[in-house]
Amino acid sequence: MRKCLCLLSVVLCLTATASHIRETMTLAKGWNAIYLESEPETPACDDFFKDMPVTKVMRYCGKDYVGSPKLDDNGNEILQPPITYNSWIRGNPSASTLNVLVGGSCYLIFATNAVASKTFLGRPTVPDIYWRETSDTNDLMNVAGVSSRAKVDAKAYFGEGPFDGKYVFTVGGVTNAYPVMRQMIGSKITLESGKAYSLSAKEDGEWPGVIGLV
């Protein structure tokens, strides 16, 4: 935890003085799990996705989960809230609960066609990733992103945090109604920079993973 706080302190100092960084978002047809390192210069969803074939964007809200158990007036434990997302739906502002993109966050984005890439300038942001302990594959609700300039091993990348090394899922699928989770198998699971994944965890925590800004 001490290392996590030190890393966050470094990022806070950098974000206070650093200029914008250049970031590239690449989308395949269907659902994409994306991690944004920075807050785009043009953060409004209507503007950012204006010329992209994107119909729905969902921001993962891990901090809606409360780590310590909550009790009701009778002393019974209250069930923790389910996985939570804020959503932007193209052409439907009344149904949208997401208006702007926030850096350091994970998003599920549905594209009707493959998008080679979108490069934009953004201000570096402190990662906003919270974890909850999971008991099995049916209880997964952690979505965490990768900030690295190369592909990395999952255990090495999240090794000092809540990630237990058991389950890593990619997010995909071409049906607009819901994304599909696919488990990654192997003794060494390689993760890609700028992508987000669903992972199991051994404990609650705020460990964001390795922070890379260079």
Side-chain angles (χ1 to χ4, degrees):
M1 185 63 178
R2 178 176 297 175
K3 184 176 181 180
C4 177
L5 291 175
C6 290
L7 284 171
L8 290 179
S9 296
V10 170
V11 173
L12 284 172
C13 293
L14 287 173
T15 54
T17 59
S19 61
H20 290 68
I21 62 173
R22 190 173 298 276
E23 190 169 352
T24 298
M25 176 189 293
T26 302
L27 303 178
K29 182 177 180 179
W31 285 102
N32 299 264
I34 299 295
Y35 173 68
L36 288 186
E37 287 187 62
S38 62
E39 182 172 318
E41 276 191 314
T42 307
C45 293
D46 287 343
D47 297 328
F48 188 88
F49 296 106
K50 181 179 180 180
D51 299 321
M52 301 177 72
V54 170
T55 59
K56 182 181 292 186
V57 178
M58 302 167 62
R59 181 193 176 206
Y60 174 69
C61 303
K63 64 182 178 182
D64 287 351
Y65 166 73
V66 180
S68 58
K70 299 178 67 176
L71 305 178
D72 61 21
D73 293 339
N74 296 319
N76 299 313
E77 185 172 342
I78 301 173
L79 293 178
Q80 294 289 0
I83 189 168
T84 303
Y85 291 91
N86 288 328
S87 301
W88 173 80
I89 303 173
R90 182 183 293 278
N92 195 346
S94 63
S96 299
T97 56
L98 175 68
N99 296 311
V100 298
L101 297 174
V102 179
S105 300
C106 298
Y107 295 86
L108 303 187
I109 302 174
F110 186 82
T112 55
N113 294 294
V115 178
S117 64
K118 177 183 177 67
T119 300
F120 58 94
L121 294 177
R123 185 175 296 280
T125 311
V126 176
D128 183 19
I129 300 175
Y130 293 73
W131 300 71
R132 74 174 298 172
E133 179 183 358
T134 55
S135 57
D136 54 48
T137 56
N138 295 319
D139 193 36
L140 287 174
M141 69 170 296
N142 300 294
V143 179
V146 177
S147 173
S148 172
R149 294 300 172 264
K151 293 183 178 180
V152 293
D153 174 63
K155 288 184 179 179
Y157 187 81
F158 291 111
E160 297 185 48
F163 175 50
D164 59 12
K166 291 182 179 180
Y167 301 106
V168 179
F169 289 80
T170 59
V171 179
V174 295
T175 302
N176 180 56
Y178 56 88
V180 176
M181 310 282 284
R182 297 186 177 90
Q183 184 177 354
M184 301 180 72
I185 305 295
S187 58
K188 185 174 182 178
I189 298 175
T190 303
L191 308 181
E192 295 183 46
S193 179
K195 303 294 184 182
Y197 301 84
S198 180
L199 307 98
S200 57
K202 61 181 178 290
E203 60 187 3
D204 301 337
E206 299 181 11
W207 176 254
V210 179
I211 301 169
L213 293 176
V214 295

